[in-house]
Amino acid sequence: MSSEPLPITMIGDSLPYADGAEDELLAVLRTARDRRVGSDELASAIHDWPTAYHLAPERAVLLAPVAIGSGDRVLDVGAGSGVNTRICADRGAAVTALEGSAARAELIAHRCAGLQDVDVLCGPLDALGDGEREAYDVVLLVGVLEYAGTPHGGGGGPAALLSRAVEVLAPGGVVVLAIENRLGLKYLLGFPEDHLGLPWVGWEGYRDGEPTTWSRRELTEMMADAGLEAQKWLYPFPDYKLPTAVLAEEIYGQSDGADMVDQIVGHPTSSEYARPVVVADERAAHRSLLTAGLGPDVANSFLVVAGRSPEAVAERVDQRALAWRVAPDRRRRWRQQAVVVDSDQGLVVRRSLLDEDRAGDLDGWLGQVEVSEEPYYPGRNLEQCLLDCAREGDGDGFAELLRAWRAELAARETPIDSVAAPHPYLPADADWALPPVWLDSGPDNFVMTADGPKFVDREWVAAGGVDVRLAVVRGLWKTVSAMLSARCHLPWPVTWSNNRLVAHLGGLIGEDIDDDLLSRWRQAEGELMGLVYRQPAARLAELHDAGSRSRMDRLGSSLAPYRRMEHLVHRQQELLAQLSEQHETAVGLEQARARLAQADDQLTRLQSELAEAQARLAQVAWRERVHNKIAGLIRGFGRR
């Protein structure tokens, strides 16, 4: 494929906006050999928020639910650096990338170098000619509508932008719109607003000329007014910019919808590139809103596929799919998509690999189940149940659940005499092994069913099997990490290091987890990270550093004052308990000293009385001797 950039056609003046990373991105795209979205080469250049936004593989997850392919004509409005342009082009669509900034149009030209059916235009949407009317099957408005009322976005306002998008839409076509929710959970929890950088400004209301987002209801009405009455609503998490999951609205209406959403989404926010003032346990807060039926209204972002007719929308999104999920931060070789589908056989999970170029089943000792379909088991997973016990301070319930998990592992472990081909998770001295697909057998992958815990998500394959002790440590560490990331209260001292907490949890299930075993596990996990993740060094450093940290260390982070106070109160209670114990010991010692002093006084008195008795005895002793002598003489005379 040619490395020459595509030509750029100017159809108007360049708009004056940038995020400051354009020159750096241009240098990356000019020299990159693999410019596809999801390329390991592009991802290796990520080091901050701008580079992550333009180069992260997670950008591809947003359009996973939308059917775009060969024969489609796509208009990508506000195409940025060409991420979605490249995704659609690689699917076989003919794409027109319309970008207002000349600097960013140049990025698109390089990202799509050598592609035949991509046109790059620079200018505003209004500058498209009359020949473009009803020309496109799909119009993308990803991260664009919020700027419609600003000078950077042309200033015409959202209604005018939507109206123009509908004008260029072919009969049976759809608009695909992605935007933040002004009432999103992360904003409610104190995260800074994405455009203005301040917390709660969207909740309070925007000023004229500022980037503006809307609630679900407002956006529904706005799109309907533009002629897009048929709408399919989807919800990207943690947001539309770098999503790892996209949910269909129908999932919220499932009988166990709150559990399903919590399992698929997990942590509903991301603080990797933000410093929020967090006012609650995010995951618990999300569950409360899900249970109250408010999940769609407080989703962080919206993805809407809208058209003039329901048929047009239905052709673009699988109406039976409930969720799309891709694990973040992996190398391209290991990226896998899981889709939860409401099939004729019930809920199922369908998995597929995203790298069409991968070769071979194993990379050394590690492999991956390539294509699979398994039932979706309803119910809470063990991690969710453990989190509930932790939040409630139920240490006994926590231990009971851990024992149930350990029993499931014990039912699958087998003794081994020797290891033919040792690897990090099956060392040569292993005594007991789990099956090869049980590498990721932590509590988060066990669903509590009526028949007991059920192991799900058997994605990984470790050649020869998995050392059961290393699997136990891995599962416990993931559980501790989930509890700490949820910022929930734990029924153990806040000063305990993560290593100590993992060792303590191991003790609850009869596992002796010492420093040597933890060190061996970290080494094994480090080698796994080196294979799977695109930037393993940072993950490995975090893994090693995390062992010595405790929950007290989190008090220096951006927790809300009352949440910080809660932790400090618990710490104060621990210190008071220690002081009380020490005070009781001191009091006991003082009492013993008083008793000793009293005994000393008694001994002194007794010694004095004894001395007096001895003196008195000395004074009368001669009389006793004379008496005894006379008595002897008398007895002598009597015998005569």
Side-chain angles (χ1 to χ4, degrees):
M1 182 180 294
S2 172
S3 61
E4 289 298 314
L6 298 177
I8 301 172
T9 302
M10 298 297 299
I11 62 171
D13 295 334
S14 175
L15 296 176
Y17 64 84
D19 58 20
E22 283 76 9
D23 290 343
E24 179 181 359
L25 291 169
L26 183 59
V28 171
L29 291 170
R30 272 177 172 166
T31 58
R33 296 173 60 87
D34 185 356
R35 301 182 178 94
R36 295 173 298 174
V37 178
S39 157
D40 291 338
E41 185 178 3
L42 295 183
S44 67
I46 296 172
H47 63 88
D48 57 9
W49 166 245
T51 52
Y53 178 66
H54 293 286
L55 302 177
E58 287 75 20
R59 288 292 305 273
V61 179
L62 181 69
L63 294 182
V66 186
I68 299 173
S70 179
D72 285 327
R73 298 159 298 168
V74 177
L75 175 64
D76 187 5
V77 180
S81 65
V83 172
N84 294 315
T85 298
R86 180 73 199 230
I87 291 171
C88 294
D90 284 340
R91 292 186 186 180
V95 188
T96 298
L98 177 63
E99 170 53 41
S101 162
R104 291 194 172 184
E106 189 175 4
L107 298 179
I108 303 169
H110 281 83
R111 189 190 289 270
C112 298
L115 299 182
Q116 298 300 314
D117 290 326
V118 176
D119 294 322
V120 183
L121 310 181
C122 182
L125 180 59
D126 287 342
L128 285 178
D130 291 338
E132 302 298 308
R133 185 178 296 272
E134 298 187 351
Y136 299 100
D137 303 300
V138 179
V139 176
L140 301 179
L141 298 176
V142 177
V144 172
L145 191 66
E146 56 265 48
Y147 294 102
T150 70
H152 292 168
L161 178 60
L162 287 173
S163 177
R164 182 58 175 153
V166 172
E167 286 180 3
V168 301
L169 195 63
V174 295
V175 169
V176 179
L177 182 146
I179 192 172
E180 301 89 350
N181 177 11
R182 68 176 292 185
L183 304 181
L185 174 68
K186 71 176 187 178
Y187 292 162
L188 175 62
L189 294 175
F191 278 69
E193 202 273 348
D194 285 15
H195 310 94
L196 302 177
L198 297 172
W200 297 294
V201 293
W203 281 74
E204 294 172 347
Y206 297 95
R207 299 173 181 173
D208 289 342
E210 289 181 340
T212 302
T213 59
W214 297 272
S215 68
R216 183 177 181 276
R217 180 175 178 177
E218 291 169 328
L219 197 57
T220 297
E221 294 175 352
M222 191 184 305
M223 297 181 73
D225 290 342
L228 301 170
E229 296 183 352
Q231 302 171 12
K232 172 74 172 181
W233 283 72
L234 303 114
Y235 305 91
F237 280 91
D239 58 29
Y240 83 85
K241 298 181 180 67
L242 297 180
T244 57
V246 180
L247 308 181
E249 183 153 2
E250 289 76 9
I251 196 172
Y252 292 97
Q254 296 290 308
S255 59
D256 60 340
D259 289 334
M260 292 182 69
V261 172
D262 185 40
Q263 287 175 17
I264 293 168
V265 171
H267 206 53
T269 63
S270 172
S271 57
E272 186 175 2
Y273 297 105
R275 307 297 279 180
V277 177
V278 179
V279 298
D281 175 342
E282 301 101 311
R283 195 164 173 180
H286 191 210
R287 277 197 65 90
S288 295
L289 292 165
L290 292 171
T291 304
L294 298 173
D297 293 291
V298 298
N300 295 320
S301 293
F302 303 132
L303 173 64
V304 190
V305 180
R308 301 182 181 94
S309 69
E311 294 77 16
V313 174
E315 288 181 1
R316 294 294 172 178
V317 183
D318 184 350
Q319 299 302 296
R320 306 193 74 170
L322 299 179
W324 295 257
R325 180 81 165 85
V326 176
D329 199 32
R330 290 185 184 178
R331 296 183 190 274
R332 186 177 180 89
R333 185 202 192 285
W334 303 109
R335 291 179 68 78
Q336 183 190 76
Q337 177 177 271
V339 184
V340 180
V341 180
D342 188 3
S343 72
D344 293 334
Q345 291 74 41
L347 295 181
V348 298
V349 182
R350 294 173 180 166
R351 305 182 189 281
S352 59
L353 300 178
L354 297 181
D355 185 5
E356 64 279 8
D357 298 334
R358 63 178 291 178
D361 295 330
L362 291 174
D363 186 353
W365 61 274
L366 185 65
Q368 198 173 23
V369 177
E370 295 192 14
V371 179
S372 67
E373 178 175 304
E374 63 179 345
Y376 180 92
Y377 294 97
R380 312 200 73 192
N381 65 28
L382 268 171
E383 181 182 273
Q384 291 172 311
C385 297
L386 289 166
L387 281 170
D388 283 347
C389 286
R391 293 181 178 113
E392 296 165 6
D394 183 4
D396 292 338
F398 195 99
E400 183 178 349
L401 289 171
L402 279 185
R403 285 191 286 269
W405 167 65
R406 184 62 183 89
E408 289 297 314
L409 300 188
R412 301 298 189 281
E413 60 184 317
T414 56
I416 52 178
D417 296 327
S418 62
V419 178
H423 60 73
Y425 267 99
L426 191 64
D429 61 352
D431 297 320
W432 293 82
L434 293 168
V437 294
W438 281 57
L439 175 60
D440 197 13
S441 55
D444 59 323
N445 282 335
F446 280 86
V447 175
M448 301 298 289
T449 71
D451 299 325
K454 184 72 176 179
F455 181 35
V456 299
D457 196 11
R458 306 184 186 197
E459 176 187 359
W460 298 106
V461 180
V466 182
D467 184 327
V468 67
R469 298 200 69 201
L470 294 177
V472 167
V473 176
R474 189 170 197 264
L476 293 177
W477 189 274
K478 289 177 68 178
T479 299
V480 168
S481 297
M483 292 188 297
L484 295 180
S485 65
R487 295 182 172 90
C488 64
H489 171 63
L490 303 182
W492 302 287
V494 295
T495 53
W496 280 13
S497 69
N498 296 342
N499 284 344
R500 181 174 179 182
L501 185 52
V502 168
H504 174 75
L505 298 186
L508 297 179
I509 54 177
E511 296 287 346
D512 181 16
I513 300 176
D514 56 17
D515 290 342
D516 178 64
L517 181 57
L518 282 168
S519 177
R520 295 179 69 181
W521 169 73
R522 278 193 294 269
Q523 181 178 356
E525 189 69 7
E527 294 193 41
L528 177 63
M529 289 178 175
L531 285 174
V532 174
Y533 295 104
R534 63 177 186 249
Q535 293 182 322
R539 280 177 169 263
L540 186 58
E542 169 64 19
L543 178 67
H544 283 277
D545 184 48
S548 60
R549 293 204 304 266
S550 70
R551 283 184 292 148
M552 280 296 292
D553 297 319
R554 296 183 69 88
L555 299 185
S557 64
S558 301
L559 296 173
Y562 68 81
R563 179 62 75 191
R564 184 184 294 114
M565 184 67 71
E566 175 187 312
H567 285 274
L568 290 176
V569 166
H570 286 301
R571 178 56 180 154
Q572 183 185 46
Q573 290 172 344
E574 292 173 9
L575 291 174
L576 287 174
Q578 294 174 10
L579 289 173
S580 177
E581 182 180 349
Q582 294 171 1
H583 176 69
E584 291 176 1
T585 302
V587 169
L589 181 60
E590 191 62 32
Q591 291 174 344
R593 286 174 176 169
R595 289 194 295 270
L596 180 61
Q598 185 178 8
D600 284 341
D601 291 342
Q602 292 175 349
L603 179 61
T604 300
R605 288 196 300 271
L606 288 173
Q607 288 174 336
S608 177
E609 292 174 3
L610 178 62
E612 285 184 28
Q614 289 174 336
R616 287 195 300 271
L617 182 62
Q619 291 175 0
V620 300
W622 63 274
R623 298 176 182 175
E624 184 175 358
R625 288 195 297 270
V626 171
H627 174 78
N628 290 337
K629 185 66 174 176
I630 294 173
L633 291 174
I634 292 173
R635 286 194 296 270
F637 285 123
R639 285 195 293 270
R640 294 177 183 171

